[in-house]
Amino acid sequence: MKKVLSIAGSDCSGGAGIQADLKTFSVHGVYGMSVIVSVVAENTGRVLGIQDVSPDMIGKQIDAVFEDIEVDAVKVGMLSAPDCMEEVVEKLKYYHPENIVIDPVMYAKNGCPLMEPAAIKTLIGTVIPLADVLTPNIPEAEKITGSRINSVEEMEKAARAIHTIGCKAVVIKGGHAAGNALDVLFDGKEVWHFDTARIDTKNTHGTGCTFSAAVASQLARGMGLREAVQKAKDYVTMALSHSLDIGKGCGPTHHFWHLYQYGLREEREG
Ligand SMILES: Nc1ncnc2c1ncn2[C@@H]1O[C@H](COP(=O)(O)OP(=O)(O)OP(=O)(O)O)[C@@H](O)[C@H]1O
Ligand SMILES: Cc1ncc(CO)c(N)n1
């Protein structure tokens, strides 16, 4: 069985972060593991508090996994502060696993910040160059490039600009744009589009985590990059089209392992 590690924050309400990653890994038939970088007291509507795990303890969790278990892919999510980032980077350079997917999480869906603004320098200087695939949403890509994104052409331009920072591939997710939900992949050579109709729902908590965890799972299973992104897009579309009206704010994506396995996407379950 392929083994995939999530290094990310914990969402106690279960919709995003480590919890979304582990649900996604299970559906993809890979063995999921987790290193908790921050404990986030959050729900579908707001963030009540963030407590970072100490860099020493982050490092020990990563050592505990890698000294014992072969890792086929790593998904990195929320890293709130420069010292957390530096610890994760040092360990990933030491163990240099294959298939590193980095989701440069900056805000929750409700707009609450999950990364200290001053950490952007460390993110760009040390974290991004480690990524085999970087998956920013539009506001994150704007922060990284310092330029506004108002069109698909500007998404393509931003993907090329972010690639020059040193990551091998970039997917800019279009969940925050108007119109279709169109994601743009730049693999260092060519630009590819992944387009679906926009699903009309407020229940979009955890879509980005779900997407990047699905990409990591597919890469671990040996899929090529373009196909892995297409399959992850199919998966998040399905998880969103069945998203749950749980909580008072943006409800979470739903992980239907049996529907995915058998391809019965039209079937609904309460
Ligand atoms: N309303 C929607 N309908 C269809 N697809 C969507 C919708 N919203 C987002 N997506 C898709 O979900 C994936 C995640 O995109 P998004 O831009 O929402 O990420 P994100 O902002 O990082 O998510 P989050 O912060 O909630 O984890 C992308 O593939 C995007 O196209
Ligand atoms: C812990 C965590 N990671 C990522 C996100 C982004 O959705 C979130 N809301 N919470």
Side-chain angles (χ1 to χ4, degrees):
M1 184 180 246
K2 297 297 181 185
K3 296 169 276 309
V4 185
L5 172 64
S6 168
I7 302 177
S10 165
D11 168 6
C12 55
S13 69
I18 291 271
Q19 287 78 359
D21 295 345
L22 290 174
K23 292 172 191 180
T24 304
F25 295 158
S26 289
V27 174
H28 284 79
V30 299
Y31 180 76
M33 298 171 283
S34 61
V35 164
I36 297 182
V37 173
S38 284
V39 177
V40 185
E42 66 176 306
N43 55 34
T44 61
R46 67 186 185 116
V47 173
L48 289 74
I50 297 175
Q51 171 83 63
D52 288 339
V53 173
S54 70
D56 179 59
M57 198 53 199
I58 293 168
K60 282 193 174 120
Q61 293 179 78
I62 297 176
D63 288 338
V65 170
F66 279 92
E67 74 172 29
D68 192 39
I69 298 172
E70 242 175 69
V71 176
D72 298 294
V74 176
K75 176 243 155 104
V76 179
M78 174 189 173
L79 302 173
S80 61
D83 58 351
C84 303
M85 291 179 178
E86 278 153 14
E87 184 66 26
V88 169
V89 166
E90 192 188 309
K91 293 293 181 188
L92 289 180
K93 280 187 173 161
Y94 181 74
Y95 292 110
H96 59 85
E98 285 184 279
N99 302 317
I100 300 178
V101 179
I102 300 181
D103 189 8
V105 173
M106 296 182 194
Y107 302 95
K109 260 285 141 57
N110 45 56
C112 297
L114 295 174
M115 188 188 86
E116 291 174 8
I120 185 88
K121 238 179 105 192
T122 314
L123 180 82
I124 293 172
T126 68
V127 178
I128 290 179
L130 279 186
D132 291 304
V133 190
L134 191 83
T135 63
N137 62 25
I138 287 178
E140 290 156 356
E142 289 182 331
K143 280 272 177 335
I144 294 165
T145 59
S147 304
R148 296 306 303 269
I149 298 173
N150 290 309
S151 63
V152 175
E153 291 69 35
E154 285 173 359
M155 288 173 80
E156 292 180 3
K157 201 172 149 203
R160 288 176 188 276
I162 293 170
H163 181 260
T164 65
I165 299 171
C167 47
K168 294 203 183 78
V170 183
V171 184
I172 301 189
K173 300 169 292 188
H176 295 249
N180 273 11
L182 186 149
D183 302 346
V184 170
L185 164 67
F186 180 59
D187 62 7
K189 288 191 185 123
E190 282 178 79
V191 167
W192 305 92
H193 289 178
F194 302 87
D195 196 1
T196 57
R198 180 164 297 274
I199 297 162
D200 184 18
T201 175
K202 69 177 173 56
N203 299 323
T204 57
H205 182 66
T207 50
C209 305
T210 300
F211 176 78
S212 54
V215 173
S217 303
Q218 297 292 5
L219 293 176
R221 295 176 65 127
M223 202 155 276
L225 176 62
R226 196 150 54 93
E227 209 184 337
V229 173
Q230 180 61 63
K231 294 239 178 233
K233 175 75 170 155
D234 291 346
Y235 182 72
V236 78
T237 304
M238 180 209 65
L240 244 177
S241 64
H242 296 279
S243 60
L244 299 167
D245 207 14
I246 287 175
K248 302 184 185 84
C250 301
T253 54
H254 190 21
H255 303 267
F256 270 84
W257 72 269
H258 53 295
L259 294 189
Y260 192 57
Q261 186 175 20
Y262 299 110
L264 303 173
R265 290 184 202 156
E266 300 312 313
E267 197 174 301
R268 292 192 71 97
E269 192 176 87

